[in-house]
């Protein structure tokens, strides 16, 4: 028999009677959902709520006593958990008997207000940070607490997780999911199980799933104040790995999220700030997250076996089925590097030592291109806002940028062009650089190699000795084309160098494991038809950890993971040794730009968003920030035909190149423009005034209206904004009724915005009036 066979089956009338007879509470009662126990909300005459808990018949009394002691212990330091309400006789636990004579333990606890996190559709970053903070506070409060009943053999204990999954793996009927869980457990056995013995252990909550976490302080529209206000259900507590609570919370919070690592990082940051983790806990955290979801899949499969008629069990597992494949694509060592970075540890410890070894040996390396040290060089600007790169790059014909780069090289009298490391670029437009199909999905834009542009056929040499680790022809558009990876040793530590966009000939007559001497020729630069469609160049990259990706290792990465990738792939110039003065000064960071703005621009000029956006490019209906994230511009009130519209740009360029002056002088173009414009308007609108801004236009309109009517009073709409001049602020409720405003002038009359849905006069009122 299963736990469900021993679940209590009392009615709400039974619960009402228990509440009154045992606890002296006269209340209305309704049942809460529960899997193995019964929980009822009591609402008494004073509208105070409590929760009546009736335990599964299999529940051990000592476990319930342990839960009560835990809640009393936590109440001394944190305000997150329910409190125990004693019976009329002062007891914390009583017994009730079912109709079939089965005994069940019963308790009463305070009710915690809040919404289960699982019932909230969108989780703000603030909520995830709060979850980490509150869970860290709970685990910190549990330090030093112990109870013998919690040292138990429990199927939800991480210590039993691997074996439980193995024992129930064949219950998973979905073949793909079965094979994925099997592979994940093989990886867990090989890489994680040997590390478990050294982890901290203590009593943990062990059930921070999204339906046990209560949220308050926000709603679906305004989520800025979302925070965790409570944690319930302490029935799964156990003596286990300290980091287990964090792993469980993350496992459920990332379900069906587009970027699991970002969500995990937000929770981790809050947790570590409150309750610092050890480095060895970070090394297994990602594997424990995956293990918890695999455990949930297997326990769900076991439940479905005993309750085949309960179709909901399969539906409730769907988010895990959606998420596990996504997690399997993230290498555990990369996840560990991200987690280490979040907690302030060196993301990739080997990177420091290997980078130092490269610096110490830099003067011994051979040139990667034969004449690199003597040939004139020019550094290209291929950044998001570069004038070299069209906003319409996606429509450019292959090879990308060739004419413009060649022009820059001719002007600089250079033979070799250099593409910068750690540069955000809007060059990568094929699906391989996208993380999803939505406009808001983050794309890979950060270049983590260094490019050397030269003629096709130029020879490429190995700057230091090594052996061929891998090679391939990645022939897709904007991919590497022919690529070779060499393995090297830095004081017995391996690292790698990658050479992309080679010729097809470069891959002939080579083999994995082949030794390559320093200065040996590796190959030649490929032409656009074989190198992924690019202007001929070498993509050169240093790699500390290949993450088992070999020739699929990325050369362009997500901006949100930029700092971690910098440690995995340090600057290739450590080996190339190009003069630092060759490179322009880095553009100010967003924080530096914001700081300078606050010094130089008036404080009354507002900035949009709590985390301001640094915009460096516009193209048609889109804006792009300094890291290449694309935004749909539905807010800009100037560029009505879109940003950088080719026809507008060309017209402006042509006119400015000839004449740019005011209207004091005669000129045929302004007459021709006025004629074309008025031809689009009704007959009375036949005279034009040309102005420089909307504020100037509205000022003139105001003057014209006053001159014509000889009146001063104005009727305006609530929340209207007409401009930033003194006169226009007076007739703009958005300004004069907002922060710093002086209120509505007596000659301005504000009327409601017409809104038949939310306004004062609803559509039904209008229809009634029409009758």
């Amino acid at each position: 028999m299963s736990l469900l066979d021993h679940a209590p089956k009392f009615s709400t009338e039974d619960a009402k009677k228990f509440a009154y007879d045992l606890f002296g509470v006269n209340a209305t009662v309704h049942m809460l959902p529960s899997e193995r126990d019964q929980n009822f909300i009591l609402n008494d005459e004073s509208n105070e709520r409590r929760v009546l808990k009736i335990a599964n018949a299999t529940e051990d009394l000592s476990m319930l006593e342990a839960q009560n002691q835990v809640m009393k212990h936590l109440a001394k330091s944190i305000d997150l958990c329910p409190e125990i309400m004693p019976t009329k006789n002062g007891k914390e636990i009583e017994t009730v008997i079912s109709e079939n004579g089965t005994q069940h333990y019963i308790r009463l606890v305070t009710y915690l207000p809040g919404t289960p996190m699982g019932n909230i559709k969108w989780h703000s970053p603030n909520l995830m940070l709060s979850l980490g903070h509150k869970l860290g506070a709970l685990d910190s409060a549990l330090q030093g607490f112990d109870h013998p009943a919690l040292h138990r053999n429990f199927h939800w204990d991480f210590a039993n997780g691997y074996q439980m999954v193995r024992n129930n793996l064949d219950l998973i009927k979905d073949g793909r999911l079965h094979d994925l869980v099997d592979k994940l457990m093989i990886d867990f056995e090989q890489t994680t199980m040997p590390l478990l013995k050294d982890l901290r252990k203590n009593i943990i909550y062990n059930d921070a799933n999204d339906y046990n976490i209560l949220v308050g302080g926000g709603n679906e529209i305004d989520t800025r104040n979302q925070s965790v206000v409570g944690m319930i259900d302490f029935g799964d507590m156990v003596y286990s790995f300290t980091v287990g609570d964090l792993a469980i919370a993350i496992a459920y919070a990332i379900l069906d999220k587009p970027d699991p690592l970002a969500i995990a990082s937000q929770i981790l940051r809050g947790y570590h700030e409150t309750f610092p983790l050890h480095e060895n806990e970070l090394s297994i955290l990602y594997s424990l997250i995956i293990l918890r979801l695999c455990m949930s899949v297997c326990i769900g499969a076991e439940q479905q076996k005993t309750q085949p008629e309960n179709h909901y069990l399969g539906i409730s597992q769907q988010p895990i089925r959606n998420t596990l494949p996504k997690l399997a694509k993230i290498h555990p060592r990369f996840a560990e590097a991200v987690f280490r970075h979040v907690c302030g540890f060196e993301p990739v410890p080997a990177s420091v030592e290997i980078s130092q070894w490269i610096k110490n040996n830099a003067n011994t390396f051979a040139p990667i291109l034969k004449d690199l040290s003597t040939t004139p060089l020019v550094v290209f600007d291929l950044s998001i806002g570069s004038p070299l790169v069209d906003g319409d790059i996606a429509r450019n014909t292959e090879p990308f940028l060739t004419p413009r780069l060649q022009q820059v090289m001719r002007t600089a009298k250079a033979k070799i062009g250099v593409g910068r490391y750690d540069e955000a670029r809007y060059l990568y437009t094929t699906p391989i650089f996208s993380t999803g199909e939505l406009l808001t999905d983050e794309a890979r834009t950060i270049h983590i190699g260094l490019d050397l542009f030269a003629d096709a056929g130029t020879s490429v040499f190995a700057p230091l000795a090594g052996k061929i680790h891998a090679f391939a022809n990645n022939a897709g558009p904007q991919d590497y084309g022919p690529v070779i990876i060499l393995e090297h040793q830095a004081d017995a530590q391996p690292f790698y160098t990658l050479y992309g966009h080679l010729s097809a000939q470069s891959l002939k007559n080579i083999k994995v494991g082949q030794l390559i001497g320093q200065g040996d020729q590796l190959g030649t630069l490929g032409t656009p038809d074989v190198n992924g469609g690019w202007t001929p160049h070498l993509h050169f990259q240093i790699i500390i950890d290949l993450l088992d990706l070999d020739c699929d290792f990325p050369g362009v990465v997500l901006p949100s993971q930029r700092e971690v990738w910098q440690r995995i792939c340090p600057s290739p110039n450590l080996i190339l040794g190009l003069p630092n003065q060759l490179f322009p000064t880095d553009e100010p960071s967003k924080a530096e730009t914001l700081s300078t703005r606050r010094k130089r621009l008036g404080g009354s000029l507002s900035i949009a968003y709590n985390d301001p956006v640094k915009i460096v490019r516009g193209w048609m209906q889109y804006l792009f920030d300094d890291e290449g994230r694309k935004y749909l511009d539905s807010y800009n009130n100037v560029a009505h035909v879109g940003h950088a519209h080719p026809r507008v740009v060309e017209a402006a360029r042509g006119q400015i190149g000839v004449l740019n002056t005011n209207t004091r002088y005669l000129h045929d173009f302004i007459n021709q423009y006025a004629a074309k414009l008025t031809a689009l308007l009704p007959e009375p609108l036949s005279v034009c005034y040309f102005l420089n801004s909307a504020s100037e236009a509205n000022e003139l309109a105001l003057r014209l209206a006053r001159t014509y009517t000889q009146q001063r009073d104005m009727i305006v709409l609530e929340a209207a904004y007409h401009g930033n001049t003194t006169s226009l602020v007076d007739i703009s409720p958005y300004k004069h009724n907002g922060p710093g405003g002086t209120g509505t002038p007596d000659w301005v009359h504000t009327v409601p915005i017409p809104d038949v849905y939310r306004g004062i006069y609803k559509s039904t009122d209008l229809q009634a009036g029409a009758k």
Side-chain angles (χ1 to χ4, degrees), residues 577-616:
L578 302 179
N580 289 331
Q581 60 269 24
L582 185 68
F583 296 89
T585 304
D586 290 340
E587 291 293 321
S589 67
K590 186 167 75 171
E592 291 168 337
T593 300
L594 178 59
S595 176
T596 302
R597 175 190 168 110
R598 285 172 172 164
K599 291 178 183 176
R600 304 300 181 196
L601 273 66
S604 61
L605 296 175
S606 61
I607 305 174
Y609 310 113
N610 293 330
D611 182 13
V613 181
K614 183 174 179 179
I615 298 297
V616 297

Side-chain angles (χ1 to χ4, degrees), residues 20 43 73 86 97 132 186 206 222 230 324 379 516 570 572 604 608 619 643 654 665 672 677 690 735 758:
Y20 185 77
N43 199 348
H73 173 80
I97 308 297
I186 291 172
N206 201 44
D222 182 5
L324 267 179
V379 174
I516 302 294
S604 61
W619 171 250
H643 301 277
Y665 311 109
Q672 293 168 9
L677 185 61
F690 294 104
K735 286 291 186 182
R758 296 183 181 86

